[in-house]
């Protein structure tokens, strides 16, 4: 139900500039509306820049989005937020994240700090819990078009190996490199074969 952060409590970039008072209006509906507005603004900008979706299928911002995503694996902020909310992992859904977001967003600041986080995270992480859970739900449903009831796997490691955003970025870069170099490599291999 909202909170006002004391200017002296600004210890993180998430708290905003130290000369600005941060006032939370913690209702799920307002938070969800603000997040959806972010995605709508990105879509409108992409339409203006590209004249629409430049691909056969797009998610927010005109970004290519394959149809029928198949298995969805979520990690990093999905994992930490799910743990703070005590959501079932690895098996979850956008609907589970939404239900948890509604629950924490409707709490008073005092009640939120008394009940959360459910894991061993610092209490100061609570200041982004309502937004974080709402954003992750809307990212999946509004941004990527995932159905609310669709199964997602939330994990932080696979077979004992950690996964995080940097691994995802490396895989993306390697895929892009392979895609751009494949034509050159194919031409070179054809030359060798002749």
């Amino acid at each position: 139900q909202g909170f006002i952060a004391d200017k002296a409590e600004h210890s993180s970039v998430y708290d905003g500039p130290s000369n600005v008072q941060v006032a939370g209006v913690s209702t799920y509906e307002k938070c969800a509306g603000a997040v959806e507005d972010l995605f709508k603004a990105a879509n409108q900008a992409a339409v203006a820049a590209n004249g629409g979706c430049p691909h056969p299928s797009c998610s927010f911002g005109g970004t290519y989005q394959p149809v029928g995503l198949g298995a969805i694996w979520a990690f990093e902020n999905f994992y930490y937020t799910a743990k703070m909310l005590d959501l079932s992992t690895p098996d979850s859904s956008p609907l589970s994240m939404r239900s948890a977001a509604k629950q924490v967003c409707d709490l008073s600041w005092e009640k939120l700090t008394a009940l959360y986080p459910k894991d061993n995270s610092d209490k100061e992480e609570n200041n982004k819990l309502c937004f974080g859970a709402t954003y992750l739900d809307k990212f999946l449903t509004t941004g990527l078009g995932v159905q609310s009831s669709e199964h997602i796997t939330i994990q932080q490691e696979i077979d004992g190996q950690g996964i995080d955003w940097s691994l995802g970025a490396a895989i993306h870069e390697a895929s892009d490199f392979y895609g751009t170099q494949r034509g050159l490599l194919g031409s070179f291999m054809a030359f060798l074969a002749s």
Side-chain angles (χ1 to χ4, degrees), residues 4-191:
I4 297 178
D6 184 351
K7 291 178 186 179
E9 294 177 15
H10 290 250
S11 60
S12 163
V13 67
Y14 298 107
D15 295 331
S18 60
N19 61 347
V20 175
Q21 185 179 47
V22 177
V25 289
S26 187
T27 67
Y28 173 79
E29 290 76 20
K30 287 183 180 180
C31 190
V35 172
E36 286 180 344
D37 287 347
L38 288 173
F39 291 127
K40 287 177 187 172
N43 284 335
Q44 289 169 350
V47 167
N50 301 320
C53 174
H55 309 287
S57 175
C58 288
S59 63
F60 58 94
T63 303
Y64 173 68
Q65 179 65 52
V67 177
L69 296 175
I72 299 173
W73 289 63
F75 51 93
E76 196 66 19
N77 284 325
F78 284 92
Y79 177 80
Y80 296 120
T81 303
K83 287 299 183 187
M84 288 177 64
L85 295 168
D86 198 26
L87 291 179
S88 172
T89 59
D91 299 318
S92 194
S93 69
L95 185 58
S96 296
M97 192 68 71
R98 180 178 310 143
S99 297
K102 286 180 178 181
Q103 186 174 359
V104 297
C105 290
D106 287 341
L107 294 174
S108 68
W109 182 247
E110 292 76 24
K111 191 82 166 177
L112 178 69
T113 56
L115 297 174
Y116 291 91
K118 298 290 187 176
D119 66 353
N120 60 354
S121 296
D122 291 332
K123 291 278 186 190
E124 67 185 32
E125 298 296 319
N126 284 339
N127 70 344
K128 53 192 171 194
L129 196 52
C130 173
F131 172 78
T134 303
Y135 182 87
L136 296 176
D137 164 50
K138 294 300 178 185
F139 173 79
L140 290 168
T141 56
T142 303
L144 298 179
V146 174
Q147 297 298 310
S148 293
S149 60
E150 192 162 342
H151 175 264
I152 59 172
T153 301
I154 300 175
Q155 288 186 226
Q156 193 57 9
E157 57 182 48
I158 298 174
D159 292 333
Q161 299 298 313
I163 50 176
D164 61 16
W165 70 267
S166 58
L167 177 60
I171 291 170
H172 173 75
E173 291 299 320
S175 297
D176 278 358
F177 178 77
Y178 177 73
T180 59
Q181 300 302 314
R182 187 173 40 194
L184 179 61
L185 182 61
S187 297
F188 179 69
M189 297 303 283
F191 171 75

